[in-house]
Amino acid sequence: MESLKTIWSTVVQEAVAENVTLDDVYQLIETPKQAGHGDLAFPCFILAKQQRKAPTVIASELAERLHHPWIKRVVAVGGYVNVLFHRNIIANQVLKQILDNGSTYGSNSSGNNANVPIDFSSPNIAKPFSMGHLRSTVIGQSIARLAEKNGYMPIRINYIGDWGTQFGKLIAAYTLWHTEYDTKADPIRALFQMYVRFHKEAKHTPELEDAGRQWFVKLEAGDADALALWRWFRELSLESFNHLYQRLNVSFDLVRGEAYYNDKMKPIVNELKSKGLLEESQGASVVRLDGEVPPCLIQKKDGASLYATRDLAAAFDRHTSYEPTRMLYVVGQEQALHFVQVKEVLKKMGASWADQVEHVSFGLLLSGGKKMSTRKGHVVMLEDVLDEAKNRALASIQARTPHLFEMEKVAEKVAVGALIFHDLKHYRQNDVEFSLEQMLTFEGETGPYLQYTFARAKTLLEKGGWSEADQHTITEIDEEAWPIVKALEEWPAKIKQAWQQTDPSLIARHLLSLAKAFNTFYSQVRIIDDSANKATRLTIVWTVATVLEDGLKLLGIQAPEKM
């Protein structure tokens, strides 16, 4: 079934074919602010100059010429041509599609199974998994699920920070002070405390920085002691990360650290040299870039590699391994210059696929208007936040439904869902203010609100005794159900748009619209009664539950059937 927006665009474009393209018309289509004015509207202002007529005149003339079997009425409202569709015809089409396809409704095969490596989460080893890595993790996971829904083959890559000068500093700190910390009870926290101490003491003891650099040079040279400590740090960290990923319902196809590219950087450096792209600058090696883009630093003066060197090696490796159509990097917007530089270096190296590299940037996570980050050795740990959220969710559920089965499991789903949805409902490039109080309420624009709406729908279906076998033709829908039908009809287009723009907030916001329409319907119509419309009403409930569950899954959120 073509979308209503496509149908209306086609009808309008055929009537004014000599003036605008179908895409022009499609981009101009609006939804009237007042529902009584129609379902969709075409503004005629773009035609006024071409036809040398007032938009109101053009709208009146067009309204007489626009026809389609699914269109009930076309009216001119000011300079707009508004359309009202036949409710029951559209409802039959939409609901039947969902009944036939279930959770695959809205899926498409436009990707043709093309590979899309998605680099996300990417925490640093030997540090607690802080709230600072939450955004990359949940945005990346949702984008991967959107890729699948659009027929692509995502390769979820956790490119962990396990290399760099900071590990030389950590090894130096460990060799100096490890006997003073309890590395058995909570090794990650102990290592982090040593790392913080290193930076504090280095301000007054500059030779510590030299010791850190020397240890990293040893690490890059394959020193046995340095490598043994580094491997231990890495093993402890991955074990800690995996526990959190399980709680967040996040999975990866490939966990690969920066260290993997140690033996793959030299060919990159050699190629840059052979093409005359590498220059010396204050003892370091750089690639000068065009325009106002600063030079890209490839090697430090002590020969140590940098992020750019490793990211170049990783880009070539991913291109060779997967032959992708897009290569996505879900990384904070603070790294925008870095990705511009990497992309420009790839172009200078002759990589015809350089434009496949896409930086999917996002804003900051704020607390009290300030960035959530390491501050005087303190971090906001994700596990602590999840535990607190779960305790609050449990208290709320106990007050609402004291005899709920498996209350602990439901509370965990609500807590995780609240945290994820609070992030993903915002356009990713916007900053997000963190607030447990706001995200855990069961009213308003929250994850628990959507989960509760889904549970309400499932309860209605159970009480009404509805089954798919009972459903036949939709005879007549209530006027109050029309906003639901429109939201369901728009679902496939939202899935395409969210993928194309790598923006999960489009899914989150649409689910809120659907849930609000459903809850209004629920408050205005007796769904379970003895009327002839009972089966149709329950069918609508089932389709809402199906799309809500699928949409929450796209966001990485589980939907409890009872709350």
Side-chain angles (χ1 to χ4, degrees):
M1 169 184 167
E2 286 186 310
S3 71
L4 297 184
K5 188 174 179 181
T6 299
I7 291 169
W8 180 228
S9 301
T10 303
V11 170
V12 172
Q13 194 274 334
E14 287 176 352
V16 292
E18 72 282 4
N19 298 308
V20 291
T21 66
L22 179 60
D23 186 61
D24 289 335
V25 174
Y26 188 88
Q27 297 302 324
L28 289 169
I29 298 298
E30 300 178 15
T31 300
K33 292 181 181 179
Q34 297 183 36
H37 285 178
D39 299 316
L40 293 172
F42 173 71
C44 297
F45 307 100
I46 192 176
L47 303 175
K49 186 176 180 180
Q50 298 170 350
Q51 297 187 14
R52 297 182 180 181
K53 294 179 183 178
T56 51
V57 174
I58 297 172
S60 296
E61 292 176 353
L62 272 178
E64 298 295 324
R65 311 203 314 263
L66 303 182
H67 305 284
H68 187 278
W70 291 3
I71 290 177
K72 182 178 182 180
R73 186 168 67 251
V74 178
V75 293
V77 180
Y80 291 82
V81 183
N82 292 8
V83 61
L84 187 75
F85 289 97
H86 284 291
R87 303 310 201 220
N88 289 332
I89 292 177
I90 304 304
N92 265 283
Q93 293 287 330
V94 173
L95 300 182
K96 185 177 186 306
Q97 277 202 337
I98 303 174
L99 286 164
D100 290 345
N101 294 284
S103 62
T104 64
Y105 174 65
S107 300
N108 66 79
S109 58
S110 60
N112 292 316
N113 290 319
N115 290 329
V116 180
I118 305 174
D119 180 326
F120 66 102
S121 192
S122 308
N124 295 317
I125 68 166
K127 292 183 181 179
F129 197 112
S130 72
M131 287 293 291
H133 281 92
L134 177 67
R135 297 215 69 193
S136 174
T137 304
V138 299
I139 292 171
Q141 179 72 345
S142 182
I143 288 172
R145 294 185 178 194
L146 282 167
E148 288 175 325
K149 194 78 172 174
N150 283 274
Y152 291 85
M153 187 70 68
I155 296 98
R156 299 168 173 85
I157 301 175
N158 192 3
Y159 187 44
I160 61 172
D162 66 352
W163 207 251
T165 54
Q166 69 267 33
F167 296 105
K169 295 174 183 180
L170 180 59
I171 293 171
Y174 182 84
T175 56
L176 287 169
W177 307 311
H178 72 276
T179 56
E180 301 176 35
Y181 296 87
D182 188 352
T183 56
K184 289 186 178 179
D186 194 344
I188 298 298
R189 196 182 295 268
L191 291 172
F192 182 62
Q193 289 170 344
M194 285 181 244
Y195 183 73
V196 171
R197 178 178 173 182
F198 179 94
H199 281 276
K200 286 181 179 178
E201 297 201 10
K203 292 178 182 178
H204 310 290
T205 313
E207 53 266 30
L208 278 176
E209 292 285 356
D210 293 331
R213 281 191 288 269
Q214 289 167 10
W215 269 111
F216 184 57
V217 170
K218 286 183 180 181
L219 188 59
E220 288 212 301
D223 178 82
D225 291 338
L227 279 173
L229 283 173
W230 173 80
R231 289 190 181 108
W232 181 58
F233 298 160
R234 193 177 191 275
E235 183 181 332
L236 289 172
S237 300
L238 290 177
E239 185 178 338
S240 175
F241 296 159
N242 287 337
H243 170 67
L244 282 168
Y245 288 136
Q246 287 175 5
R247 291 190 72 176
L248 291 171
N249 309 307
V250 170
S251 61
F252 297 94
D253 302 301
L254 182 66
V255 178
R256 180 166 284 173
E258 294 178 63
Y260 174 82
Y261 295 100
N262 280 348
D263 60 351
K264 297 170 178 61
M265 289 183 287
K266 192 172 182 180
I268 298 295
V269 175
N270 289 341
E271 184 174 348
L272 289 169
K273 286 179 180 177
S274 68
K275 292 184 174 179
L277 296 173
L278 210 58
E279 298 182 20
E280 186 177 316
S281 176
Q282 299 178 344
S285 298
V286 303
V287 175
R288 297 201 180 278
L289 302 173
D290 301 329
E292 298 181 2
V293 182
C296 183
L297 190 58
I298 301 298
Q299 276 187 324
K300 292 183 178 180
K301 60 183 178 181
D302 61 5
S305 60
L306 292 111
Y307 290 120
T309 329
R310 293 187 284 275
D311 276 350
L312 287 168
F316 276 99
D317 180 55
R318 292 172 191 178
H319 173 72
T320 302
S321 300
Y322 303 116
E323 298 181 355
T325 56
R326 299 174 79 179
M327 296 168 64
L328 307 183
Y329 294 77
V330 186
V331 182
Q333 60 191 13
E334 308 100 304
Q335 297 299 317
L337 175 59
H338 168 78
F339 284 103
V340 169
Q341 291 175 314
V342 168
K343 198 167 179 175
E344 289 303 309
V345 173
L346 287 171
K347 289 179 179 179
K348 281 186 171 291
M349 294 176 75
S352 59
W353 44 269
D355 283 331
Q356 292 176 356
V357 173
E358 298 178 45
H359 177 204
V360 182
S361 63
F362 53 85
L364 300 173
L365 190 61
L366 305 177
S367 179
K370 296 180 180 179
K371 179 182 177 181
M372 268 193 174
S373 63
T374 305
R375 197 175 299 157
K376 297 181 180 179
H378 298 290
V379 295
V380 181
M381 294 178 65
L382 176 59
E383 185 146 35
D384 292 344
V385 173
L386 281 172
D387 290 342
E388 175 64 18
K390 181 180 178 180
N391 289 336
R392 294 190 184 200
L394 189 59
S396 180
I397 293 170
Q398 284 173 332
R400 284 171 166 268
T401 320
H403 304 296
L404 182 66
F405 181 64
E406 294 187 327
M407 192 178 294
E408 286 268 349
K409 289 184 178 179
V410 173
E412 173 78 2
K413 291 176 182 179
V414 170
V416 172
L419 202 63
I420 292 174
F421 190 81
H422 185 71
D423 189 302
L424 296 183
K425 74 177 181 180
H426 297 91
Y427 174 52
R428 58 176 167 76
Q429 290 189 332
N430 292 344
D431 294 340
V432 175
E433 183 70 33
F434 176 77
S435 170
L436 273 179
E437 291 77 13
Q438 290 181 16
M439 68 176 64
L440 281 166
T441 179
F442 281 68
E443 294 82 30
E445 298 181 343
T446 69
Y449 169 72
L450 291 178
Q451 290 171 316
Y452 187 73
T453 300
F454 171 77
R456 169 178 278 171
K458 296 297 283 188
T459 299
L460 279 170
L461 292 170
E462 184 180 344
K463 288 182 177 178
W466 184 87
S467 71
E468 294 178 58
D470 297 331
Q471 183 51 47
H472 302 291
T473 303
I474 310 300
T475 52
E476 184 177 353
I477 68 163
D478 303 285
E479 182 64 25
E480 295 86 349
W482 180 241
I484 294 176
V485 173
K486 284 203 297 182
L488 293 172
E489 186 274 330
E490 292 167 359
W491 181 237
K494 286 295 177 184
I495 288 171
K496 286 184 179 180
Q497 186 184 8
W499 163 245
Q500 289 164 356
Q501 298 179 17
T502 55
D503 183 12
S505 74
L506 293 171
I507 297 297
R509 307 302 304 184
H510 194 72
L511 292 180
L512 286 172
S513 297
L514 175 60
K516 288 174 183 176
F518 171 73
N519 283 314
T520 299
F521 174 65
Y522 173 81
S523 67
Q524 293 177 344
V525 175
R526 287 190 63 192
I527 296 171
I528 302 174
D529 59 14
D530 296 327
S531 72
N533 284 344
K534 176 186 173 183
T536 294
R537 289 168 182 165
L538 285 173
T539 296
I540 291 169
V541 174
W542 185 87
T543 56
V544 168
T546 299
V547 171
L548 277 178
E549 185 175 28
D550 182 47
L552 288 169
K553 183 180 178 182
L554 287 175
L555 300 177
I557 298 171
Q558 296 183 70
E561 295 199 359
K562 295 195 181 292
M563 286 177 64

